Structure formats: C-alpha cells, structure tokens
Amino acid sequence: MPLSICMLSDDFIPAATGVGTHLQAVSEQLARRGHRVSVVTTRRRGEPERQTWRGVDVHRVFTVRAFGFYQALPSVRRLRAIFAEVRPDLLHHHYLGVMLVRAMRVAASMRLPQVYTYHMTEDHLTQPLPMRPLRPLIRAEIVRRCNRMDAVIAVSRNMAAQLPGTGITAPVTYISNPVRFPAQAQPEPATRDADFVVMFAGRLDPEKNLPLLLDGFARFRQRFTGRAELWIAGHGGQRDRLGRLAQSMGIDADVRFLGFLAHAPLARHYAACDVFVLPSLVETQGLVAMEAMWFGKPVIVADTVVSADELVDDEVNGFIVPHDRPDALAQALHRIAQDPALRQRLGEAGKQRSLRFRPEVVVDELERLYAGLFVGRAMQR
C-alpha cells in the first residue's frame, strides 16, 4: 500500500552526520518502492528551497547554525503549507529540535501518526560546554516528546531494551540503521604507504573518546616493526587538541587527519584500511563500524558503545575493549597486524554480519511499522 511519508531532519543532503546518511538510504529505498516520500530539512547557503533527489521531494526551510550544527527553524505556517502540499499519511522525525516541536503541533491538529527515531541521547545533544548544564532538561524533554509519539524506533536492540527505563512509555521498536554502500563492486582503495592502517570516522568531539585511540595507537606502534598509520576522518571541535596530543605522543607523523569525507571518498578509505576502531563513550549504534564491516574489515569497539555486543562477537569479527584501557586496544591492534589470516577471518565474518543491515532489509521493517500505524489511525477515525 503506497503511503505519503514525510520525514523531518536537520541533516539530509549533503549528509554531515550518520543521521543524514541513514535518511538518504531509507528515503531512496522507500521512493523506489512507490511511496511518496518528502523530506523537510535545513537550507544552507546556495541550496535551493525545493529539489527532487532520487525520487524524494526535498523541502528546505529557514536555518541557523549554532555550535557547528545546522538547525531548521521553520515557522508553523511554513510547516502547515508543506503538509498541505504533500498530504502526508504519517510524519517521521529524526532530530529533536525546534522543527520537531513545531511539526508535532501541526501533526496533532491534523491527527497524523508520528514516529521518532532515537538517533541521539542527551549526551549527544549537549556536547558543547554551554549546553552541559541543560542535560537533565534535555533528557526530560526527550522523554516527554517520545511519549507523544505513536512509535519510537531504537537503532540497537540494547537501546530498545533500555529506553523504557528512562521513562519512555510509547511503544519502542528496534529497527537498525542501514548500510548504504553498493554490494556489487568494491571502490578503488585510497592510496596508502603504510604496512598497516588503522581507521576511525566520525565527529571529532569528546564523546568519541579519541584520546584512547591515539594512546592505543602510540602503544601499538612501539611494538609494531613495520610502518603504521592512523587515519582519522571527520571534523569537530577537538581537531586542534587531538593534533597537539598526537604531537606530544610523538606519533603526529603517522596520524593523518583526513577531514570530512563524502560518501565516495569515505568508501575508498574503508576499502584501503586494515582495521576500524570505534572508541566512543556514547553511541546509539555505531553506523561507521557497520560500514567498515561491509568492506570486510575487522572492527574494534569500546565496551561503552551500547550496541558493542550486537556489532562484535569477540574474536569472531573483531574485538571489544575497555573504553579506558589503551593497552588493551594496543594489544588488539597488534594481534590483527601480526596475523594476516586472523585479519582476513575477522573481516569475512564482519562482511557476513553486515548483510543484515542492507537498506532493503531495514526498509522492509519500516514499511511494516508504517502500515500498522496508518491502519490503526484509520480505524480510530
């Protein structure tokens, strides 16, 4: 049953976060299946107010930039006009912000079913220092908004199990993030000079715990007899601090800060690395680790990643290490570097695991959820 689905997100195209990458994958797949898909998102300088992207209608609204992030600030009148045009059967929210609050008000007056994907915790939303004192208020606001939804999607099973304990009483459903790289052809790997390459991708912010990665890599490099490099893809507020830290550890010549990488160059770097590390203190799932697995790479994740044991079976497709033990990370890196057969076995197991994250599998589950909500709301009428 084709539906009109309206998604709201502060990030979409070009994707600057995992949320934008997620939304690109699911919206494109839904449009291919015959649904009418519209996305309301931010408008940056030089971007059109309206466009069509791969069958998806994109509506861009008034936007401000704060703390390095773009935030959509549409008026209620603007949202009413968009909804009157696209005539949505349901709304799917992907960001907690002003746009969500205003859209919820309009949706309630139109009696539209609403879904919220729990991409970010209060820790993600209050990383800038001026926001830290607001963390309890943000936590309460997340719970309040979620409890007004018809369904809340958690992107990891562990997160889905934890959310009711935070006070969320709305129905919670687990639906994974999708991995959006093509299955057929591997891209040409990025150029590399090192014998062994460690990679990270994501925001360079405190919750990513990158000092652990630098420390662990420095300890590994002391034991490794070949040439090793650490690739760090992404941008964020800690870039300069991390550069100084690498210099103080004597590894700055072997650490490459790649900056933000778009989809195609990111794929080339995944293809070229030997192992991917996700040392985060806070993650709702860890999309970048799933992407690395898609490219057949072993992954090492910190035990503080909520989905660590969903992503990794220890010594099957990678390793789970303590978030505060750089020596444990160094040991895991050394094992993978010294044993090519182990590296290949871990990577192949990860590739097989990543198949469950294909967009078509994820969207199958989304369609079932949407259909149930639409039919349920229709029966209420």
Side-chain angles (χ1 to χ4, degrees):
M1 176 178 59
L3 297 173
S4 176
I5 303 160
C6 183
M7 299 192 177
L8 300 97
S9 172
D10 286 355
D11 189 33
F12 182 42
I13 51 172
T17 67
V19 177
T21 301
H22 168 109
L23 193 54
Q24 287 181 14
V26 298
S27 63
E28 180 181 6
Q29 185 70 213
L30 286 165
R32 284 181 181 176
R33 296 186 183 197
H35 299 285
R36 183 183 181 188
V37 183
S38 52
V39 174
V40 185
T41 189
T42 49
R43 185 183 186 189
R44 305 167 199 180
R45 181 175 297 178
E47 292 179 333
E49 187 174 281
R50 293 286 302 274
Q51 71 180 108
T52 300
W53 177 86
R54 300 184 182 181
V56 178
D57 293 325
V58 183
H59 300 255
R60 299 187 182 278
V61 298
F62 176 72
T63 299
V64 298
R65 190 177 184 186
F67 303 116
F69 293 94
Y70 291 95
Q71 298 180 40
L73 298 177
S75 66
V76 169
R77 182 179 179 181
R78 174 80 171 114
L79 290 170
R80 286 191 186 278
I82 292 172
F83 297 163
E85 177 183 341
V86 304
R87 298 175 62 85
D89 294 312
L90 59 87
L91 298 188
H92 190 157
H93 305 273
H94 290 268
Y95 260 84
L96 185 78
V98 172
M99 180 161 64
L100 174 143
V101 172
R102 292 176 178 172
M104 286 184 71
R105 188 189 318 168
V106 179
S109 69
M110 298 175 67
R111 295 180 55 80
L112 293 173
Q114 299 185 75
V115 180
Y116 175 70
T117 295
Y118 199 98
H119 291 290
M120 291 164 285
T121 69
E122 63 273 11
D123 295 326
H124 289 108
L125 295 167
T126 56
Q127 280 305 311
L129 281 176
M131 296 287 289
R132 301 285 176 85
L134 300 177
R135 191 163 287 178
L137 294 176
I138 297 294
R139 183 184 303 118
E141 181 67 5
I142 291 174
V143 171
R144 190 165 77 90
R145 294 295 167 182
C146 284
N147 285 340
R148 293 176 59 188
M149 296 290 165
D150 295 276
V152 174
I153 297 173
V155 295
S156 81
R157 285 192 174 88
N158 290 341
M159 179 65 74
Q162 292 175 12
L163 288 183
T166 67
I168 292 175
T169 56
V172 177
T173 301
Y174 160 67
I175 301 178
S176 172
N177 277 311
V179 174
R180 190 176 154 250
F181 290 103
Q184 56 277 17
Q186 289 283 330
E188 179 182 353
T191 302
R192 54 177 277 180
D193 300 319
D195 302 304
F196 187 75
V197 174
V198 182
M199 183 174 169
F200 164 85
R203 296 184 308 278
L204 310 188
D205 288 334
E207 79 272 15
K208 297 301 181 180
N209 198 25
L210 290 172
L212 171 80
L213 177 56
L214 292 174
D215 196 351
F217 177 76
R219 294 171 189 238
F220 156 72
R221 204 195 64 166
Q222 291 174 357
R223 299 176 60 190
F224 186 60
T225 56
R227 169 78 194 284
E229 279 190 345
L230 170 60
W231 293 351
I232 298 178
H235 56 63
Q238 286 205 314
R239 168 61 181 87
D240 293 341
R241 177 176 179 269
L242 294 169
R244 292 192 297 270
L245 187 57
Q247 187 174 28
S248 71
M249 294 177 176
I251 58 173
D252 52 304
D254 297 321
V255 178
R256 290 175 55 190
F257 288 94
L258 305 174
F260 173 76
L261 296 180
H263 200 66
L266 180 61
R268 295 182 62 233
H269 284 80
Y270 281 134
C273 75
D274 293 297
V275 60
F276 186 89
V277 180
L278 185 65
S280 304
L281 299 172
V282 179
E283 289 285 349
T284 52
Q285 187 178 32
L287 178 60
V288 286
M290 295 155 57
E291 292 175 343
M293 288 159 55
W294 186 262
F295 285 89
K297 305 302 176 180
V299 294
I300 302 173
V301 301
D303 58 1
T304 39
V305 174
V306 69
S307 59
D309 60 358
E310 299 173 53
L311 296 172
V312 175
D313 282 336
D314 214 33
E315 302 198 37
V316 173
N317 66 315
F319 297 95
I320 300 174
V321 298
H323 65 280
D324 55 356
R325 289 276 307 281
D327 58 317
L329 174 56
Q331 182 179 0
L333 289 172
H334 194 260
R335 284 190 62 184
I336 293 172
Q338 293 294 101
D339 191 341
L342 172 66
R343 186 159 70 241
Q344 182 174 359
R345 175 170 61 80
L346 297 176
E348 289 174 351
K351 175 64 175 179
Q352 288 302 308
R353 175 165 295 206
S354 72
L355 296 178
R356 68 183 69 169
F357 308 130
R358 290 173 295 160
E360 53 267 35
V361 174
V362 172
V363 171
D364 282 347
E365 298 180 23
L366 265 181
E367 281 188 312
R368 284 192 286 271
L369 176 65
Y370 291 160
L373 292 176
F374 177 73
V375 170
R377 184 56 63 93
M379 289 177 65
Q380 291 176 14
R381 291 173 182 168

